[in-house]
Amino acid sequence: MKRRHFIKNASLTGVGIAVGSTLTNCVEATSEEAKAESVAMGDNSEATLPLVIATWHVEAATAKAMEVLQAGGNALDAVEQGCRVEEANEKGQSVGKGGLPDRDGNVTLDACIMDKHGNCGSVVYLQNITHAVSVARKVMEDTPHVMLAGEGAKQFALSQGFEAEDLLTDASKEAWEKWKVEAKYKPIINIENHDTIGMLAIDKNGDISGACTTSGLAYKMGGRVGDSPIIGSGLFVDNEIGAAVATGLGEEVVKTVGSFLVVELMRQGKSPQAACEEAIGRIVNKPNSNYKDFQVGYIAVNKKGETGSYSIHQWFSMTKYQDGKNEQIQSDYFNKS
Ligand code: SD4
């Protein structure tokens, strides 16, 4: 098992000291009254800010995001910079440079980003540009649009000074050539075959942003786009409530508009953990669901800084950096049979 997230039980103590204030101090009412009410509601989370969470085992990425936050940067800068670490990491074969190609050998990237105002930007089927998340941010900030696709997205990136590169590394090419021997045209994800990075951060002001970047399913059909660049499916941020991000078989996430669902469930009062569990429930409880054949995982954070994660199968994890600790947290999961 080569993939990074199969490193089990790795508890990572990171460097750096969290210098944030508690969320109850800086976001919500500071009065004793509010505090008493919060304790009465069973909320004993004095979440320390800033905080960052990400899908899978990506402690270098969360460390980068935390570095940005501790230097006074905002959550948007943090999630962009954090995701860029994995995009540049050629060993990660699900994101950016070195991502596994589609069945025709083309590496195509999907990414999106969303800020505290609900602004968002996204790129789909982007080729030859490593930092898809930064192109998504440019779409958000420098165009009147939300989403750019394919050649248009690439031309936009080039016009913004991004450099064209060949994203197919020798290792990914070799893997693709091996896959071709038995090439199956149906894009099947198995539970080992993904580690899209989705990242959510709360900065010291209590503002939330999120980002998501991926090369999508390995050996997918040419032209296939997953959930990761679809606002509401792969990612959703509502600065008043919280945020969620997905990983796994994008088709199943899109069908349930998963990340929006998680945030809406939190709006109704569910904890991030309960909201992630219910969103997974929507997938696995469908009549005739073949959930045994694929993985989906969600992570979420609410405005109080509480976090949650849940997946269909074992071995999904969340990396969380808070209070000076950068650690991998194994996620609870549905399929225990
Ligand atoms: C997709 N959700 O394209 C992505 C794949 C993924 O880790 O999460 N990989 O469907």
Side-chain angles (χ1 to χ4, degrees):
M1 287 187 284
K2 279 189 251 152
R3 306 189 66 80
R4 289 166 299 165
H5 59 269
F6 275 81
I7 299 169
K8 296 175 202 169
N9 301 324
S11 176
L12 303 155
T13 305
V15 268
I17 301 160
V19 283
S21 47
T22 67
L23 195 90
T24 41
N25 285 337
C26 67
V27 180
E28 298 185 335
T30 52
S31 72
E32 286 308 310
E33 217 176 29
K35 222 167 186 176
E37 190 187 327
S38 139
V39 171
M41 288 166 66
D43 166 29
N44 56 7
S45 66
E46 291 270 323
T48 307
L49 298 184
L51 81 86
V52 184
I53 56 173
T55 53
W56 304 110
H57 175 201
V58 289
E59 81 278 13
T62 46
K64 180 69 198 179
M66 184 53 77
E67 188 187 310
V68 171
L69 292 167
Q70 286 181 339
N74 62 34
L76 185 67
D77 291 333
V79 293
E80 180 192 4
Q81 292 303 320
C83 285
R84 285 174 64 98
V85 169
E86 282 302 305
E87 288 178 335
N89 173 12
E90 294 183 22
K91 289 196 185 127
Q93 289 182 299
S94 299
V95 180
K97 188 156 188 176
L100 289 168
D102 66 17
R103 68 190 196 189
D104 305 317
N106 299 312
V107 180
T108 68
L109 306 182
D110 294 337
C112 72
I113 194 160
M114 198 162 179
D115 74 8
K116 64 179 179 180
H117 302 296
N119 295 316
C120 45
S122 143
V123 287
V124 308
Y125 201 76
L126 176 68
Q127 293 186 68
N128 299 111
I129 308 285
T130 296
H131 293 299
V133 72
S134 296
V135 185
R137 182 169 177 175
K138 286 273 179 202
V139 172
M140 174 174 84
E141 292 180 338
D142 295 346
T143 80
H145 306 304
V146 163
M147 185 180 284
L148 291 181
E151 191 55 27
K154 180 174 162 180
Q155 289 310 323
F156 170 70
L158 295 174
S159 77
Q160 295 289 315
F162 290 83
E163 277 179 24
E165 307 179 61
D166 184 1
L167 302 183
L168 188 64
T169 54
D170 290 346
S172 290
K173 189 167 180 210
E174 200 182 305
W176 169 58
E177 268 156 6
K178 257 191 214 149
W179 172 83
K180 277 199 293 184
V181 176
E182 285 193 31
K184 296 198 178 94
Y185 278 144
K186 195 167 171 233
I188 292 175
I189 193 165
N190 68 43
I191 63 167
E192 302 163 22
N193 189 21
H194 39 80
D195 47 5
T196 287
I197 178 167
M199 185 177 280
L200 308 172
I202 310 187
D203 59 32
K204 65 178 171 40
N205 298 322
D207 289 322
I208 310 172
S209 292
C212 187
T213 182
T214 187
S215 53
L217 296 190
Y219 320 127
K220 59 198 174 186
M221 291 173 70
R224 183 264 185 190
V225 170
D227 62 311
S228 303
I230 310 294
I231 299 297
S233 290
L235 171 73
F236 197 69
V237 176
D238 181 327
N239 198 39
E240 286 188 1
I241 304 298
V245 69
T247 181
L249 183 60
E251 281 73 3
E252 295 298 324
V253 176
V254 168
K255 285 177 203 166
T256 50
V257 199
S259 294
F260 184 71
L261 174 61
V262 172
V263 173
E264 288 306 297
L265 291 166
M266 292 194 290
R267 189 190 306 280
Q268 290 166 20
K270 287 201 186 293
S271 67
Q273 183 62 33
C276 290
E277 290 178 20
E278 186 163 335
I280 290 293
R282 293 284 173 96
I283 297 172
V284 299
N285 293 326
K286 281 183 183 169
N288 305 322
S289 171
N290 60 335
Y291 69 83
K292 293 209 163 151
D293 298 335
F294 61 82
Q295 174 71 304
V296 171
Y298 291 108
I299 64 169
V301 64
N302 67 12
K303 191 71 175 167
K304 291 190 257 180
E306 296 167 325
T307 60
S309 69
Y310 199 66
S311 57
I312 300 177
H313 300 284
Q314 198 172 11
W315 304 130
F316 175 51
S317 61
M318 165 171 82
T319 306
K320 178 171 177 173
Y321 201 152
Q322 184 182 30
D323 271 335
K325 273 189 290 177
N326 190 11
E327 56 189 353
Q328 192 189 9
I329 298 169
Q330 287 296 334
S331 177
D332 194 10
Y333 55 98
F334 172 79
N335 184 22
K336 296 201 169 118
S337 59

